[in-house]
Amino acid sequence: MSEPRPPRTPGIKLLFALLIATFLAIPLFTVYLLVYDRQNQSQTAQRSIAEGWGGPQSISGPVLVIPYAATSNETVTENGKQTVKTTTAWHELTLSPDTADIRSDVKPDVRKRSIYEAVVYAARNKGAARFVLPADLSRWGTTRAALALDRAELRFGISDARGLFGAPPVVAADGTALELQPGKGPSETGGSGFFTALDARALGAKPLRVTFDYAVRGNGSIALLPQGGDTRWTVVSSWANPSFQGGFLPSERTVAANGFKATWRVGNLALGRTLISTDERPEATAQAVVEGRGLQSSSAEARVDLVTPVDLYAQVNRSVKYGFLFIGFTFMALLLFDLIGGVKVSPIEYGLVGAGLVLFFVMLLAFAEVIGFSLAYCVAGGAIIALLTAYSSAVLRSWRRGGLIAGLLTALYGVLYVLLSLEDLSLLIGSLLLFAALAAVMYLTRGLDWGGREAVTEA
């Protein structure tokens, strides 16, 4: 007869549990990839929902563009004689307003398709600007007499002109309504926008006052690319979860459950540009200054994002990162029942329990897309706790021991929810819990013979 196989030592049993936990990293990583894939699919669906509505909008202007004639003399040699040729070329002088006051009333709307949704909005932009022609035009290589003020143009920029909707935009100069044409937006909006021809000969004697009113649709965010000497931008919306981004933050803001109101005030000194530029001597725009400093182009804008209060994919992604915490604590409990309680737990049983723990994250993702994260967390957690409690009771041959596993899992899921809610303190709380857990394991296993030395000595 063959000799009975000696029982595994506690150290070997621990090694098996660690090995199985390591193999479970593969399905955990697969769940992580699944979350990433579903997030990309959600973003694709959101773009599809907002298609035709208008993208994230950036508005700019108005600016006054004035043609001017510039003469140049060139000495050439013809038939052995030197002659001076005078040529006249037309250039453009761009004048930004010395003051601009803009108000954007943003009306948000949540559009849904199947289980996906996107935040879109309609924004009505009303404002006024004042243009003043400086007296020292000679610094820019021209004179007031060279300006073709009767051929001036007012230009407005909109990053996605498809978003213009409703009544046609209204632009008036000194109370006179002007006829608008598409295109000729500034470079900051890629040339997208609209413009109007303007007889600005009165600008030589007094400031030019411009009023405008137009509505745009967009999704996700709305931004202003300030260009004036003193730009004031006020945004009012019923959306309760704004995120203020860009290189300029609001000087005043009020956020409440029924919406927000924010006001920006940006000057040309902060933009790093003067109010005049020409195509002969282009002034360094805020965009160029930002690029020269190696910063992001968004530093030249004031922007507000209409964010979703709860990003379920980010929360599920964070919860998956705590997967090893669940596996480690649960396996340690089973191992203690094996070593101290004398109930043998096979590697297959470890694997099945681990599979249930990994399944929680898949169920959490699937339910969260339909019923929201908090309710999905309760449903998925409750289902997995019930499943593993019943299975552990059979494996450990006691409903009381199974109840201890249920209590452990309930505590773990509760702690994880707290960690997800307290993002700033999650590392501190998590490290303290791990310290307490390690101390408890060290205390409970302080008398174990991990290497089986006592059994060998007795033999």
Side-chain angles (χ1 to χ4, degrees):
M1 295 180 62
S2 58
E3 295 183 1
R5 185 174 58 181
R8 297 191 184 100
T9 64
I12 295 298
K13 293 180 178 180
L14 175 62
L15 184 61
F16 270 111
L18 291 175
L19 187 62
I20 296 171
T22 302
F23 279 125
L24 288 173
I26 298 175
L28 268 180
F29 183 70
T30 303
V31 173
Y32 180 82
L33 294 179
L34 177 62
V35 176
Y36 180 77
D37 177 71
R38 296 295 294 182
Q39 186 175 22
N40 285 341
Q41 186 172 338
S42 173
Q43 292 172 350
T44 301
Q46 289 174 354
R47 288 192 294 268
S48 177
I49 294 172
E51 186 177 5
W53 186 270
Q57 293 286 11
S58 295
I59 60 176
S60 177
V63 294
L64 185 64
V65 178
I66 306 171
Y68 68 94
T71 59
S72 60
N73 297 323
E74 181 182 6
T75 302
V76 298
T77 302
E78 293 181 354
N79 300 324
K81 295 182 179 181
Q82 289 187 338
T83 59
V84 177
K85 281 191 173 182
T86 301
T87 58
T88 300
W90 285 95
H91 298 277
E92 290 184 343
L93 179 144
T94 301
L95 178 63
S96 298
D98 65 340
T99 62
D101 193 350
I102 307 169
R103 178 186 171 98
S104 298
D105 291 288
V106 180
K107 182 180 179 181
D109 188 18
V110 177
R111 295 295 179 95
K112 294 185 177 181
R113 179 182 299 171
S114 184
I115 61 174
Y116 304 108
E117 61 183 32
V119 181
V120 298
Y121 63 83
R124 184 179 181 184
N125 306 290
K126 298 179 64 176
R130 188 184 72 166
F131 294 89
V132 176
L133 193 64
D136 55 348
L137 289 176
S138 58
R139 295 175 52 196
W140 305 99
T142 187
T143 62
R144 182 170 298 186
L147 299 179
L149 292 171
D150 58 331
R151 294 165 50 193
E153 292 179 348
L154 274 174
R155 298 180 182 178
F156 296 79
I158 301 174
S159 59
D160 189 354
R162 298 176 306 158
L164 287 169
F165 80 105
V170 176
V171 177
D174 289 333
T176 302
L178 304 172
E179 184 178 352
L180 303 178
Q181 301 293 333
K184 291 191 177 182
S187 59
E188 289 85 352
T189 60
S192 177
F194 57 89
F195 75 99
T196 178
L198 171 68
D199 186 348
R201 282 176 288 187
L203 182 62
K206 64 176 183 178
L208 175 68
R209 301 183 184 277
V210 175
T211 59
F212 51 90
D213 184 354
Y214 62 93
V216 295
R217 297 189 298 193
N219 76 87
S221 66
I222 182 170
L224 175 71
L225 302 169
Q227 295 180 327
D230 182 9
T231 301
R232 183 183 179 92
W233 184 39
T234 302
V235 180
V236 180
S237 175
S238 60
W239 190 255
N241 299 279
S243 176
F244 304 107
Q245 303 292 331
F248 302 100
L249 295 179
S251 55
E252 300 175 8
R253 62 181 179 182
T254 302
V255 181
N258 60 347
F260 73 92
K261 179 179 180 180
T263 301
W264 286 258
R265 194 160 187 177
V266 182
N268 66 304
L269 296 181
L271 291 169
R273 59 179 297 175
T274 63
L275 299 183
I276 295 180
S277 64
T278 67
D279 53 7
E280 289 184 292
R281 300 170 56 186
E283 175 63 24
T285 63
Q287 177 81 7
V289 171
V290 164
E291 292 175 353
R293 294 175 181 171
L295 304 175
Q296 297 294 326
S297 60
S298 59
S299 298
E301 68 180 12
R303 189 177 86 243
V304 56
D305 297 342
L306 306 182
V307 299
T308 305
V310 178
D311 186 349
L312 66 92
Y313 295 104
Q315 289 190 302
V316 174
N317 188 19
R318 289 186 60 216
S319 67
V320 172
K321 295 176 182 178
Y322 291 97
F324 278 112
L325 184 68
F326 284 77
I327 295 172
F329 275 100
T330 308
F331 278 19
M332 184 55 66
L334 294 177
L335 182 63
L336 291 177
F337 279 122
D338 190 339
L339 298 178
I340 300 176
V343 181
K344 293 183 178 180
V345 181
S346 71
I348 298 299
E349 291 163 342
Y350 277 109
L352 290 175
V353 171
L357 295 173
V358 174
L359 181 60
F360 161 76
F361 301 104
V362 180
M363 295 180 63
L364 175 62
L365 174 62
F367 280 103
E369 290 184 329
V370 179
I371 61 177
F373 181 82
S374 297
L375 187 56
Y377 194 93
C378 296
V379 172
I384 295 301
I385 290 174
L387 175 65
L388 295 186
T389 299
Y391 183 69
S392 299
S393 299
V395 170
L396 302 176
R397 299 177 179 85
S398 169
W399 279 102
R400 181 172 175 272
R401 294 167 179 167
L404 292 176
I405 296 294
L408 172 65
L409 291 175
T410 302
L412 284 175
Y413 286 125
V415 168
L416 176 60
Y417 192 84
V418 172
L419 292 178
L420 295 176
S421 302
L422 302 176
E423 183 175 355
D424 296 335
L425 299 177
S426 60
L427 179 60
L428 175 61
I429 297 175
S431 61
L432 292 176
L433 290 174
L434 287 175
F435 176 81
L438 179 61
V441 171
M442 293 173 69
Y443 177 79
L444 293 174
T445 60
R446 66 191 183 281
L448 282 179
D449 179 20
W450 290 101
R453 292 185 296 270
E454 294 179 0
V456 172
T457 302
E458 293 176 358

